[in-house]
Amino acid sequence: IQSEKCFSGFLSYIFVLCFRERSRDRHKSRSKDSRSEKSVTINTPPAEPLLGDSSVRGEPVQDDNWGETTTAVTGTSEHSLSQEDIVRITKDLEDSVGLNCRRYLTRTLAVILGILVLLTPLAFLVLPHLLWPDKLEPCGTACEGLYISVAFKLLILLLAVWGLFFRPPRASLPRVFAFRALLSVLVLLFVISYWLFYAVRILEVQDPDYKGIVQYAVSLVDALLFIHYLAVVLLELRQLQPCFSVCVTRSTDGETRHYNLGQLSIQRAALAIIEHYYSDFPVHNPALLSASKSRAAKHLAGLKVYNVDGLAHSQSRAMIAAAARRRDTSHNELYYEEAEHERRVRKRKARLVVAVEEAFTHIKRMQEEEQKKSPGDVMDPREAAQAIFPSMARALQKYLRTTKQQHCHSMESIQQHLAFCITNNMTPKAFLESYLTPGPTLQYNRDRWLARHWTLISEASVTSGLRDGSVFLLKCVDFSLVIAAKRIPFVQMSEEYIDPKSHKFVLRLQSETSV
């Protein structure tokens, strides 16, 4: 009887649990239905990112505990996007399409203008033979020599135009480059004026002097070469001499660099600064900023406001004095917190260095053993890196977590770097340098760190040149660069002549001395 009671009690307990789980599932389904009216869930493959930010990418998700498990979790991820995010995505797509159309339109117009410039001298030489071949005077030896001159000058002009104007674009600027547009208009007006003169003075009258027509074409090619020389001076040589010293400061952590720039417009100066930023500035790490923010929030949480009227006067003064004493000791807390952090970093670093040295020692031992094996049994660097990586993974993960760099390095990138070091016979110190010292932005994953879109904010027109005291901003997703320009001062140098005879002296010795 007692066993039957226990069994019936167990069944009732299971029934109650099933009823609670069913009611909980109903509640979850209702809450999901209610939330589905405000957001849209989109499944994205990992190879096609939706936004420029890494938080919304469909990349393979990495396990935070790869130091213990040494596995990577891959697959598609689900992202919840609101209606505002979808509108922003649509706007970014429209802007990118507009920029691509403008870039291709500019390139198409440049190609058309270049073809027109190169075919014009040839057309000047061919049209008389097609329209009035019977009226042309015979071309002598000097005239035939001009053919070679035109051919080689056109070849030189073609190579020069290709080398100067048809380079891969570095960026998409917000405004048109003023000097390039000016040169294009100048070349177009120049070719049109030559065609007008050719039509009026040669085509209409059908000039029989073919030698003069050839000299006219040669003069056009010479003028085009001089215009190309002008383009080299305005586009390349003018900006070489430093005229301004710009101070670039990152808004989040205050990292500062100084550069010397020449006579550039604001938008081209911004482009040069972005290129320097990717190679000179240490990578932006938001995790280091979150620690200072949490410390400030903790400090503000310790401040309390008391109602003086509701308490006794002596009691309220005592409480305010106690709060002031706690506030005055915050610098001690900061000091000991930083000292403890430095101690932990040194400890993790020592463990990491020992683990890496042991792993590389094992690699050398494996290489000595593989030299005795047959060529088919030799292990490639990728397999060797995967074999020794688990021995250092835990120490490396703990160090990266302590220094807030765990999101900068994935397990796959670490293994690739380890295989690269093994292939090139690098030392353990060379392998650890990428993790002990934060490197520039270009050292890390391109999709993670390179911002595709920068916003230039300037009170002056971006096509105007740099001036003394010019200030403008470059904004991306997480931070902004504040740029202040100062003109390099004029240096006045004078010369002081020193007479060579002034360095001569006479040593007079007395006769009483022992010298």
Side-chain angles (χ1 to χ4, degrees), residues 95 128 168 215 328 357 367 436 458 463 499 504:
D95 294 341
Q215 291 177 350
D328 293 338
E357 288 180 352
Q367 289 177 351
L436 300 181
S458 173
T463 56
D499 189 4
K504 297 181 180 180

Side-chain angles (χ1 to χ4, degrees), residues 28 37 71 81 103 116 166 245 285 288 303 306 311 336 349 394 433 450 453:
K28 287 183 179 180
E37 297 177 358
T71 57
L81 299 178
R103 183 175 63 185
L116 177 63
F166 290 93
S245 175
N285 193 350
L288 296 177
L303 301 179
Y306 298 95
L311 298 174
Y336 288 112
K349 180 180 177 181
R394 186 177 180 83
E433 189 65 25
L450 288 187
H453 183 73

Side-chain angles (χ1 to χ4, degrees), residues 106-208:
T106 305
R107 182 65 61 87
T108 303
L109 293 177
V111 170
I112 293 174
L113 181 60
I115 293 174
L116 177 63
V117 167
L118 293 176
L119 293 182
T120 296
L122 300 178
F124 288 170
L125 299 177
V126 173
L127 286 178
H129 287 283
L130 297 178
L131 298 180
W132 62 93
D134 298 335
K135 299 181 181 181
L136 291 178
E137 296 178 357
C139 185
T141 305
C143 178
E144 294 176 354
L146 292 178
Y147 286 161
I148 302 176
S149 175
V150 170
F152 277 98
K153 287 180 180 180
L154 284 179
L155 179 61
I156 294 172
L157 182 62
L158 176 62
L159 295 177
V161 170
W162 172 78
L164 182 62
F165 293 102
F166 290 93
R167 290 177 291 184
R170 297 182 297 171
S172 177
L173 299 179
R175 299 292 181 87
V176 178
F177 188 16
F179 284 126
R180 181 169 291 185
L182 177 63
L183 290 170
S184 300
V185 173
L186 178 62
V187 169
L188 182 61
L189 294 177
F190 190 77
V191 172
I192 290 175
S193 62
Y194 259 79
W195 269 110
L196 291 176
F197 186 86
Y198 185 82
V200 173
R201 301 298 300 270
I202 297 177
L203 290 180
E204 288 187 359
V205 299
Q206 295 184 355
D207 190 3

Side-chain angles (χ1 to χ4, degrees), residues 1-14:
I1 297 173
Q2 188 175 0
S3 61
E4 290 178 358
K5 288 182 179 180
C6 293
F7 183 73
S8 62
F10 181 72
L11 288 178
S12 62
Y13 179 72
I14 293 176

